[in-house]
Every structure is written in C-alpha cells, then in structure tokens.
C-alpha cells in the first residue's frame, strides 16, 4: 500500500507539532544541556558576574563596591534543512507499525489523525537525532567529522584549544582507566569550574567506551553493591557525586573525539533553535510518484556553542 497524502506545516504548526515537544520542558532536560528555543534573533546568552565581596561596614550613605558585570555571547545560527526519503513500501510499514496498536485502524481506511501523528512522530525522531548528534560532532570545516551543517561543541573546543584544560590521548594503547580520566579532568579543571560544584550542575560527558569501561571498573570492586548493580544494571552513574552521562556517537564517523571525557557545567553547553524567524520555515511530507518514494523535509535555524572555555576540562583522543 502507498501513503499519497501531502502534508504541509508552517509557522505555529511547525513549532507546536514538530519542535516544541522535543526541545522544551522535560525533553530539553533529557539532552543534558541548555536549550534556547525560539529566542529573539540574534540569539544571545547573557552571563552576569557578581562581585566577590558585597559586605561593607555599616555606616550612613552609599559605599557600594564594583557593579556586577555582564558577559554576552551570540550563538552563531545557520539555516539547515532535514530531509528523509523512503521507498513507498518501507514508508508504509514504518508508519503503520507506529499505529498498529490502535483498535480503530483499518488497512482500507488508513487516513485521518492517527496516520498524521505516526508520520509526524517518524520524522520528528529523525530530526531530534540529527540535531543531537550534530550539536556534538558538527564541523563546517570537516576536521572533526563529515557532519558539516553547523559547528558543534567539539569544534568549539578545538577553537579554544589553548584555553581549554585539555589532556590528549595519543594512541589507543594509551587510553587510561575511566576513573583516571575523571580524576585528571577534575585535577586540571580551573578554579572557576570547581567552584560551581555546589550548584549541582557539573557533569562528566563521556563517550560510550569510557561509560562502559567505568561500569566494568565498578563491577570489579567486589562489594555487595557492585554485585547488585551487575545483576540489576546501573540506573545512574556518578563519580564523587558528579553525574556521568553517556554521549552515544558510536555509529557516527568522528575523526577526533572518538574517546572523550569532558567535565563541564551543563549550562555551559548551549543549543539554540529557531523556527519562527525564517521565511522558509516549513515542514512538508509528500509522495513522489516518479521515484515511488515518500519524502519529508523541514527547514529551520540551529546553532550550538560553548559559552566559557574556562568551564571545560577534557580528556580526548586525537588519532
């Protein structure tokens, strides 16, 4: 069977149906970083630096110290488009699989809101994954990876190489234990980064191999808790109270950062999305009879940046 109906979304529908459910509220929190969605253009991050000592001896009159200073950084956003295509048979199977559990679905009358929801969800998942991976490994120059739509966090870190507390892994044989990476990142972190620990937003972002290596190291401890975690699995991982978050990039071709462990503040990594300030803003799904395939396309603005290089400490491969 073939799904031939054309669906086109513009303006508020693009926001409400495709992007806001995935990049605001709880969904944004699950990305583990700071998400700025549909902020006024150009999208600018404001960071206030409070004075170190505001206490003064009590006396009449005004004896205030230095004013709080404001630091601004504009997120460089680029126009991008997301496109997918499927053979008509494959597309029908994928869409129908998402709605087969509904009691009122019929092969003879596969129309209406259930079909639209299934098509929407299929494309939305592809968009989210594309943005998630590119915000890490995207590089317009192609140095980090072949994903070149916009620059991701690793590209920004390379740009800051002299300022970021970075430890390099020269070859695969020299990859240290996960616990050693965590400790080294902490030891090499700036005082500005360490001082943020009390605010509860520090995190270790790690590659899948480091994450799995840490699990192995914990399970080798020989304690009752290690035994139970081996049986039941590890719900959350931490190192000295700081969460360890896996960044799965295993099936993406990265030229650098195949192994990494990065200590930073979640709020220091920013993803900016805008679907309202772009004339070409549109999501469209249609059937191409010449090629007998279903196609999907979305156009929007997106960018990612590391706000302050002093708040990054990273251990990464460069081979």
């Amino acid at each position: 069977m073939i799904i031939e109906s054309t669906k086109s979304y513009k303006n508020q529908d693009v926001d409400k149906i495709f992007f806001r459910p995935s990049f605001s509220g709880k969904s944004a929190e699950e990305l583990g970083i700071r998400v700025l969605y549909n902020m006024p253009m150009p999208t600018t991050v404001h960071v206030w630096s409070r004075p170190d000592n505001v206490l003064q001896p009590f006396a009449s009159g005004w004896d205030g110290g230095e004013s709080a200073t404001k630091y601004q950084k504009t997120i460089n956003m680029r126009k991008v488009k997301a496109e997918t295509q499927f053979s008509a048979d494959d597309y029908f199977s994928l869409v129908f699989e998402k709605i087969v559990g509904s009691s009122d679905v019929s092969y003879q009358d596969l129309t209406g809101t259930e079909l639209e929801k299934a098509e929407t969800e299929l494309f939305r998942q592809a968009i989210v994954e594309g943005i998630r991976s590119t915000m890490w490994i995207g590089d317009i120059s192609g140095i980090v990876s072949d994903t070149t739509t916009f620059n991701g966090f690793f590209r920004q870190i390379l740009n800051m190489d002299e300022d970021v507390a970075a430890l390099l892994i020269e070859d695969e044989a020299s990859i240290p234990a996960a616990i050693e990476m965590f400790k080294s990142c902490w030891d090499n972190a700036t005082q500005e980064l360490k001082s943020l620990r009390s605010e509860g937003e520090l995190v270790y972002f790690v590659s899948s191999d480091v994450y799995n290596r840490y699990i192995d190291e914990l399970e080798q401890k020989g304690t009752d808790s290690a035994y139970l975690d081996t049986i039941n699995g590890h719900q959350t991982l931490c190192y000295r109270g700081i969460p360890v978050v896996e960044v799965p990039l295993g099936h993406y071709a990265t030229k650098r950062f195949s192994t990494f462990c990065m200590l930073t503040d979640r709020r220091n990594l920013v993803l900016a999305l805008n679907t309202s300030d772009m004339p070409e803003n549109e999501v469209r799904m249609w059937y191409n009879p010449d090629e007998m395939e279903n196609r999907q396309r979305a156009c929007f603005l997106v960018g990612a940046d590391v706000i302050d290089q002093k708040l990054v400490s990273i251990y990464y491969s460069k081979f």
Side-chain angles (χ1 to χ4, degrees), residues 12-244:
Q12 292 184 353
D13 288 337
V14 173
D15 171 36
K16 180 179 178 181
I17 296 174
F18 280 89
F19 286 88
R20 189 167 294 279
S22 301
F23 296 102
S24 63
K26 185 177 180 181
S27 296
E29 292 176 7
E30 290 174 353
L31 290 174
I33 61 167
R34 184 177 180 182
V35 179
L36 302 179
Y37 181 64
N38 272 355
M39 297 286 286
M41 297 287 290
T43 300
T44 303
V45 179
H46 300 275
V47 181
W48 289 90
S49 176
R50 63 178 182 267
D52 291 333
N53 187 3
V54 298
L55 300 180
Q56 302 288 339
F58 181 80
S60 61
W62 174 257
D63 191 25
E66 296 181 358
S67 300
T69 58
K70 184 175 70 172
Y71 169 70
Q72 292 182 328
K73 187 164 187 178
T74 300
I75 307 299
N76 182 28
M77 300 181 70
R78 292 172 60 89
K79 292 182 179 180
V80 302
K81 62 178 181 178
E83 294 180 333
T84 61
Q85 62 186 37
F86 303 89
S87 71
D89 287 342
D90 291 342
Y91 188 72
F92 176 84
S93 298
L94 288 168
V95 171
F96 190 77
E97 182 180 355
K98 290 187 173 297
I99 58 177
V100 70
S102 179
S103 60
D104 56 351
V105 173
S106 169
Y107 275 108
Q108 286 71 39
D109 185 26
L110 193 59
T111 59
T113 56
E114 290 298 325
L115 173 63
E116 185 172 349
K117 287 179 182 178
E119 286 191 85
T120 297
E121 183 61 23
L122 180 66
F123 193 28
R124 183 165 56 206
Q125 289 175 353
I127 292 173
V128 171
E129 175 57 19
I131 292 175
R132 184 200 69 83
S133 60
T134 308
M135 75 182 186
W136 286 101
I137 65 172
D139 184 2
I140 296 171
S141 68
I143 294 176
V144 173
S145 72
D146 295 326
T147 304
T148 58
T149 48
F150 65 94
N151 285 335
F153 302 134
F154 291 154
R155 175 68 259 186
Q156 308 297 331
I157 290 169
L158 283 181
N159 289 345
M160 304 170 179
D161 225 359
E162 294 181 0
D163 300 312
V164 170
L167 297 162
L168 302 182
I169 304 170
E170 298 298 339
D171 57 73
E172 293 187 62
S174 64
I175 298 177
I179 292 178
E180 182 180 332
M181 290 189 199
F182 299 151
K183 186 177 186 303
S184 296
C185 283
W186 177 263
D187 291 344
N188 284 275
T190 61
Q191 288 302 317
E192 290 91 338
L193 179 55
K194 291 179 179 179
S195 67
L196 294 174
R197 181 171 187 170
S198 61
E199 298 185 19
E201 297 293 340
L202 293 190
V203 62
Y204 285 100
F205 288 112
V206 301
S207 55
S208 295
D209 62 322
V210 174
Y211 190 85
N212 292 325
R213 184 174 299 202
Y214 187 41
I215 290 176
D216 290 340
E217 293 169 13
L218 293 175
E219 291 176 350
Q220 293 170 7
K221 293 293 184 181
T223 62
D224 290 342
S225 60
Y227 173 75
L228 292 174
D229 282 343
T230 303
I231 296 174
N232 301 322
H234 300 265
Q235 302 304 313
T236 57
L237 294 183
C238 291
Y239 174 74
R240 295 182 176 176
I242 300 175
V244 177

Side-chain angles (χ1 to χ4, degrees), residues 169 175 181 207 209-210 257-261 315-317 319:
I169 304 170
I175 298 177
M181 290 189 199
S207 55
D209 62 322
V210 174
F257 300 99
S258 56
T259 293
F260 62 89
C261 171
Y315 214 130
Y316 71 100
S317 62
F319 49 84

